Amino acid sequence: QVQLVESGGGLVQPGGSLRLSCAASGSIFSINAMGWYRQAPGKERELVATIFSGGTTNYVDFVKGRFTISRDNAKNTMDLQMNSLKPEDTAVYYCNADLRAFRYSMYRNYWGQGTQVTVSS
């Protein structure tokens, strides 16, 4: 049973910072892409950033220069450092990973339960 668990969300003032973490546990042989998504009230879930096992990263335009994604392949963890936060960054942030549980199994996509980030004065 694979689990992705996010942590680090909370309430922060505009211009502040938060660091989100995601830990993958359970039967894991390898993880390919990992990513952060977010969903604001009344809106669809959207991609924030992705990172591949080799370290290649991609960011959507609205977080470039403010957010930094990183991962520790040995620990099966991923972080999102969020700086210069804006009220429009308020959303539930979800961890996502493409992983395989065993050497010869197919890659499957997994989601965490989400962590709330609220940017407000």
Side-chain angles (χ1 to χ4, degrees), residues 30-57:
S30 65
I31 303 177
N32 185 15
M34 299 185 79
W36 289 98
Y37 290 71
R38 70 186 188 186
Q39 187 167 19
K43 295 187 176 181
E44 293 190 352
R45 192 173 298 187
E46 60 183 0
L47 175 66
V48 175
T50 59
I51 184 167
F52 291 84
S53 57
T56 300
T57 59

Side-chain angles (χ1 to χ4, degrees), residues 50-68:
T50 59
I51 184 167
F52 291 84
S53 57
T56 300
T57 59
N58 293 289
Y59 298 91
V60 294
D61 286 346
F62 54 76
V63 304
K64 283 182 179 177
R66 300 190 298 126
F67 292 9
T68 302

Side-chain angles (χ1 to χ4, degrees), residues 1-17:
Q1 187 80 6
V2 174
Q3 273 193 316
L4 301 181
V5 178
E6 302 98 335
S7 61
L11 173 64
V12 63
Q13 292 187 341
S17 299

Side-chain angles (χ1 to χ4, degrees), residues 18-19 22 40-41 57 62 70 76 92 94 105:
L18 277 177
R19 189 176 185 87
C22 172
T57 59
F62 54 76
S70 60
N76 291 332
V92 177
Y94 295 91
S105 62

